[in-house]
Amino acid sequence: MSAVSRRNSILPVPIKNIERELICPICKELFTHPLILPCQHSVCHKCVRELLLLNHEDSFDAGSECSLPGSPGPRSRVPSPSMERLDRLARSGSMSSPGWRRGSVTPRITTFPCPGCQHDVDLGERGMSMLFRNFTLESIVERYRQAARAAVAIMCNMCKPPQQEATKSCMDCKASYCNECFKFHHPWGTPKAQHEYVGPTMNFRPKVLMCPEHEMEKVNMYCEVCRRPVCHLCKLGGSHANHKVTTMSSAYKILKEKLSKAIHYLISKEDQVKTQISHLEVLINETEEKGQLVERRTDENFERLFETLQERKFEMLRSIEQSRMRRLDQLRGQVDEYQGMLENSGLVGYAQEVLKETDQSCFVQTAKQLHTRIAKSTESLRTFHPVADPSFDEFVLDTSREETLLKELCFGGVPDPPIIDLSRSRVYNEGLVCWQLAEDTLATDHQVLEYRKLGVEQDEEEGGSRWRPTVPVYGPSTVVCDLEANSLYSFRVRSCRNSFYSPYSPEVTFHTPPAPVFGFLFNDKCGFSSERLTLSKLRDSVESAAGMAFLLAAERVQTGSYMGLDYIIGDTGISQGRHYWAFRVESHSYLVKVGVASDSKLLEWIHNPRDTSSPRYDHDSGHDSGSEDTCYDLSQPFTLLTVGMGKVFIPKASISSATAGNDHGNRVLPMPQRIGVYLDYEAGRVYFYDANTMRCLYERQVDCTGTMYPAFGLMGSGKVHLEEFIAAKRLSYM
C-alpha cells in the first residue's frame, strides 16, 4: 500500500473526541492564544504571564507577535501543581533573577517549571517575547469551538442589514464574507484576488510566521538541536550559530511524514489497545476481588488473635481473683483471732486480782493455770507472722516479647538489615555513608541511619554518646553534617517496611580528619605542562603518560642532563587556619610527589630555575641523591612526600636515631588506598595520613609564607584522583 493510499485509509477522528488535547494544563480550560515552550508543551498566553509575574500585570513589547493587546484582562490564578514551587522560587530569589529590571515596581522572574513535564523553563532577558504562538493549536481549538456551537453561524462582516451567513474568511483581510461580498471585495485581476481564504472562522492568524528574536525576519529554517523554527540571522550570528539546521520545507516533509506514520501506527494498533484495555479491566476486577478477600482473611486472623487474648485475659484475671480472695480470708481470720485477744482483756484483770492472794497454797493452785494462758498469748505476740503475703509478684506478666512480635507482624516479614559499604563511604567534617540493601523480594519503604560519637565521657555506661537518628532516607546513601574533627564515630542503619523495622546493621566506625575539608580542583594554568600531563574534564584527576617525552628524557640522563617532575597545584590557596584534603594515587604510578607549595617561592622558582646540569639540583627530583634526607631546604617551594610503585617512602629525618642504622624497612611503607594531607598554617606543619585509618605516616615543618597550595609532581606513568568530597566543594559552583 502506498503512502498516499495508506493515509487515505486512515479514518478521521471526530473533533469532539480530542478535547483532552485542547485543555491548558494550568487553567484547565480550552487554550487561549497558546504559546509553545522550549520543551514543546503549550500553555495559554495569560497563564504564562501569571506564572512570570505572580498575579501582577506585565508590560508587553509592542510589535511582538506574542503581544496580544486585544486579549482579555487578567483572570484569577488557578492553582496548579507547579505554583507552590514557583512561589518558593519567587520568595527566595526573584530580586536577583535575570528578568529583574531596575526601577520596575514588581519583581520579575524568567524561570518557571513547565506544568506539563516539570522541567525548568528559562525565558532569558526577552521573557515571553521569545516564545512562538502555536497557531496550529489555535486553529484546532477554533474548529473545536465551531463544532461545539455548530448551530451558531458566523455572519458576513460586510453585508448591510440583514446580514448573510459567511461562507469564507480571508486570512489577509481578517474578515468573513458571504459569496457575494467576497466576490465584490476580491475581484479578479486585482491583488486581493490572491489573498488566502479558508472556511468561516473567527481565528485570524498571520500569514507568515515571524522570528521572536528578530522581529522583522521570517522564519525559514528549522533547528534540529533546539527543535524550533529559526530565521537566517539566528543561524548566522545568533544563539543557533553552531547548531545543525535544515530548510523549513525539508523539516515540513520529514515531520509530516513522521506524524502520519505515527498516527497510522496508533490507528493500526487500535484492536491491540482495545484488547489491552479489556485485560486491564479484568485485572481491575481481579484486584478488587482479591484485595477484598485478603482484607477479610486479615480481619479474621486478627479476630482470632483478639479471641485468644480475651481467653487468656479471662483465665489470668480469674486466677488473680481466686488468690486475692483466699489471702483476704486468711488475713481476716487472723484479725478475728487478735480481736479476740483484745476482747479477753478480763484475763489481765483477773490475773491482777490473783496477785493479791496472800495464801501461798491458794495462790499456787490458781496461778499455774493462769500463767499458762498468759504465756500462750504472749508467745503469739512475740512471733507475729501474717498468714498471707499481700504482694502479687508471681502474677506479674512480662509481655515485652509478645509486643515485639506483634509490632514485627507484617505481610512480608521483618526486612533484612542493610550493610554499610565501607568502600564507598567517606567521612570528613561531613560524612557520606552508603549501604547495600538486602536482597529481598519486597522493597523497603525507607532507611534510618543512626550515628554517635565514641569516647565521650558522659553516658559511659552506655558506651558513648546517645545514638542520633537521621531523617528517613529513600535511597542507598545519605550525608551526615556537622561532625567534629579528629573524632571517632560509629554508624548503623536499618530498614523499614510497613512501619516495621529490621534489625540494625553491624556497626562501623570512622575517624574524622583533624581539620575541615579543603575543596579545590587542579590548576591548568600555573606551570601546567599540557604536553606531558592530562587533566580530566572536571579537573578532578591528572594523569602523566610515560610516552616519547619520557624516553627522550631518559636518553638525556646518559649525557648528564637529568629529567625532573611535572608539577601541578590546586586552584585554591590557603592563607590561614587548618585544612585537610585527600586523594587516591593509582597503584601503577611510577613516581608521584604529594604535599604543599608556597606561591611566593613558586614564582621565584619558576623565574629563576636551578642549575639542571647537577644531579642534585632538584630537592624533590625523585633521585636518591640524599639531599631530601640530610636536610630540609626551606627555600624550596615544594614540601612533598614520595609515593610510587605501590609504596610510600619516608625521609630519614623522620626516623629516630635508635633505628637509623637499619631503617630501610621503616622508611618504605605500603601505599594506602587513600592518602590525606593536613596543613596547619599557623603552626607551620604539614602531616601525611593513611586516609582510611587516619594514621599519621609522616609530619614535618613547612615555611608557611604567603599562600600555600596543594601540590603534586608526577614522573613517568601515574595518575592522581581527588576524593569526591574534595572536588564536590568546587564542582558545585561550576
Side-chain angles (χ1 to χ4, degrees), residues 402-512:
E402 288 75 12
E403 289 178 3
T404 302
L405 292 175
L406 288 174
K407 289 180 180 179
E408 293 177 352
L409 185 65
C410 60
F411 295 110
V414 178
D416 295 328
I419 302 297
I420 295 180
D421 190 346
L422 296 177
S423 62
R424 295 189 298 129
S425 300
R426 298 289 183 267
V427 175
Y428 300 95
N429 52 304
E430 293 182 356
L432 172 63
V433 183
C434 307
W435 54 81
Q436 296 177 351
L437 298 177
E439 296 181 359
D440 201 341
T441 56
L442 297 177
T444 57
D445 297 333
H446 62 267
Q447 286 75 41
V448 175
L449 177 72
E450 296 184 356
Y451 64 100
R452 64 176 178 175
K453 183 180 178 182
L454 300 180
V456 183
E457 294 181 358
Q458 62 269 24
D459 299 331
E460 291 183 353
E461 296 181 356
E462 299 181 10
S465 60
R466 298 182 182 276
W467 289 99
R468 289 181 284 178
T470 62
V471 297
V473 181
Y474 302 93
S477 65
T478 188
V479 175
V480 180
C481 301
D482 301 327
L483 299 179
E484 297 183 17
N486 199 23
S487 301
L488 194 63
Y489 283 89
S490 182
F491 296 85
R492 66 184 185 183
V493 65
R494 60 176 177 170
S495 299
C496 177
R497 182 197 296 135
N498 298 330
S499 301
F500 301 109
Y501 288 92
S502 72
Y504 285 103
S505 66
E507 295 182 23
V508 297
T509 57
F510 292 97
H511 199 292
T512 59

Side-chain angles (χ1 to χ4, degrees), residues 3-78:
V4 175
S5 60
R6 185 172 66 249
R7 286 194 295 269
N8 291 338
S9 65
I10 298 176
L11 297 177
V13 178
I15 195 169
K16 65 179 181 179
N17 294 341
I18 66 173
E19 181 177 0
R20 177 187 299 180
E21 304 297 328
L22 308 181
I23 299 297
C24 173
I26 296 180
C27 63
K28 307 302 181 184
E29 299 176 359
L30 291 176
F31 283 107
T32 303
H33 304 303
L35 303 179
I36 302 179
L37 302 179
C39 56
Q40 303 303 308
H41 290 98
S42 296
V43 181
C44 288
H45 174 275
K46 296 176 183 178
C47 295
V48 174
R49 183 180 62 189
E50 292 171 1
L51 285 176
L52 290 177
L53 298 183
L54 299 175
N55 278 337
H56 292 283
E57 288 292 333
D58 190 11
S59 57
F60 302 104
D61 300 327
S64 172
E65 291 180 6
C66 296
S67 303
L68 303 172
S71 59
R75 58 173 177 255
S76 60
R77 184 175 62 175
V78 179

Side-chain angles (χ1 to χ4, degrees), residues 597-617:
S598 169
D599 63 338
S600 57
K601 296 179 181 179
L602 184 62
L603 292 175
E604 180 182 355
W605 184 79
I606 293 176
H607 293 298
N608 300 299
R610 302 300 176 91
D611 181 12
T612 59
S613 63
S614 170
R616 302 170 66 90
Y617 84 96

Side-chain angles (χ1 to χ4, degrees), residues 273-292:
V273 173
K274 290 181 179 179
T275 302
Q276 293 174 348
I277 291 175
S278 301
H279 180 62
L280 290 174
E281 291 176 348
V282 171
L283 291 179
I284 291 174
N285 295 331
E286 185 177 352
T287 302
E288 182 70 24
E289 294 175 359
K290 290 186 176 180
Q292 293 177 355

Side-chain angles (χ1 to χ4, degrees), residues 6 63 99 121 169 172 216 248 262 273 295 331 340 350-351 365 418 479 514 541 579 623 656 664 711 719 725 734:
R6 185 172 66 249
V121 177
S169 293
D172 296 273
M216 302 304 296
M248 189 61 69
V273 173
E295 287 180 359
L331 290 173
Y350 175 68
Q365 181 185 15
V479 175
S541 67
H579 304 274
H623 297 286
S656 63
H664 177 74
K719 192 170 186 180
F725 255 81
M734 296 183 65

